[in-house]
């Protein structure tokens, strides 16, 4: 593991809560960057996610995979959908796969309804970098 950071916004007032940036922590493992998002996935997530991913892409030329750990995301709207697509598209020119790790229903359902679900590989937490894989072949879902 090379680095871990936290791009957490200052504690917002009640009136700013709807536009507060979520926390984003990242760690690099060999050819994989793990981005853990905590909080609502809305357009406010664009700045921290894109900033961190851009920094990592510039520093790590051997990346092959971006893992988005979204289990702490209680809500996602259309702005969050756009952010996920932007993150996925950032890796396309370098052949970097974007993987959603254990997305909760608040993330999975809007992706399924919008038809964007098929753009991403979806895995369980036991199938990610730096963690032991489950017995047998990985259960990679695209449905």
């Amino acid at each position: 593991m090379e680095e871990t950071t936290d791009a957490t916004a200052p504690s917002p007032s009640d009136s700013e809560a709807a536009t507060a940036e979520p926390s984003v922590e990242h760690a690099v493992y060999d050819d994989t960057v793990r981005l853990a998002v905590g909080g609502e996935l809305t357009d406010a997530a664009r700045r921290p996610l894109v900033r961190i991913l851009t920094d990592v892409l510039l520093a790590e030329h051997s990346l092959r995979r971006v893992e988005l750990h979204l289990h702490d995301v209680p809500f996602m709207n259309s702005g969050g959908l756009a952010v996920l697509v932007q993150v996925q598209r950032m890796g396309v020119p370098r052949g970097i796969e974007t993987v959603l790790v254990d997305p909760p229903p608040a993330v999975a359902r809007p992706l399924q309804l919008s038809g964007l679900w098929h753009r991403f590989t979806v895995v369980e937490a036991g199938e990610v970098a730096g963690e032991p894989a489950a017995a047998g072949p990985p259960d990679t879902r695209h449905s």
Side-chain angles (χ1 to χ4, degrees):
M1 180 169 98
E2 293 182 13
E3 179 179 349
T4 300
T5 60
D6 184 3
T8 306
S11 179
S13 68
D14 288 339
S15 63
E16 297 172 333
T19 60
E21 288 182 359
S23 66
V24 179
E25 296 180 3
H26 88 278
V28 176
Y29 299 89
D30 298 322
D31 64 350
T32 301
V33 62
R34 178 181 297 172
L35 301 171
V37 180
E40 293 185 350
L41 191 51
T42 64
D43 194 52
R46 183 178 315 279
R47 181 183 306 174
L49 275 170
V50 170
R51 178 175 28 112
I52 289 172
L53 185 55
T54 299
D55 290 346
V56 171
L57 288 172
L58 291 172
E60 304 292 333
H61 299 286
S62 63
L63 282 182
R64 302 277 36 84
R65 181 171 163 132
V66 173
E67 293 177 356
L68 292 169
H69 291 252
L70 303 171
H71 55 85
D72 289 333
V73 174
F75 171 80
M76 182 175 74
N77 64 11
S78 61
L81 286 170
V83 172
L84 291 180
V85 170
Q86 182 177 0
V87 166
Q88 186 264 337
R89 292 184 72 192
M90 288 174 71
V92 168
R94 289 180 36 192
I96 298 172
E97 176 185 32
T98 301
V99 178
L100 305 182
V101 180
D102 281 336
V107 173
R109 190 70 178 140
L111 284 167
Q112 291 166 341
L113 290 172
S114 67
L116 295 171
W117 183 252
H118 300 287
R119 292 183 74 117
F120 302 94
T121 300
V122 180
V123 299
E124 296 177 9
E127 302 169 28
V128 297
E131 296 180 18
D139 177 26
T140 304
R141 297 172 280 154
H142 292 280
S143 53

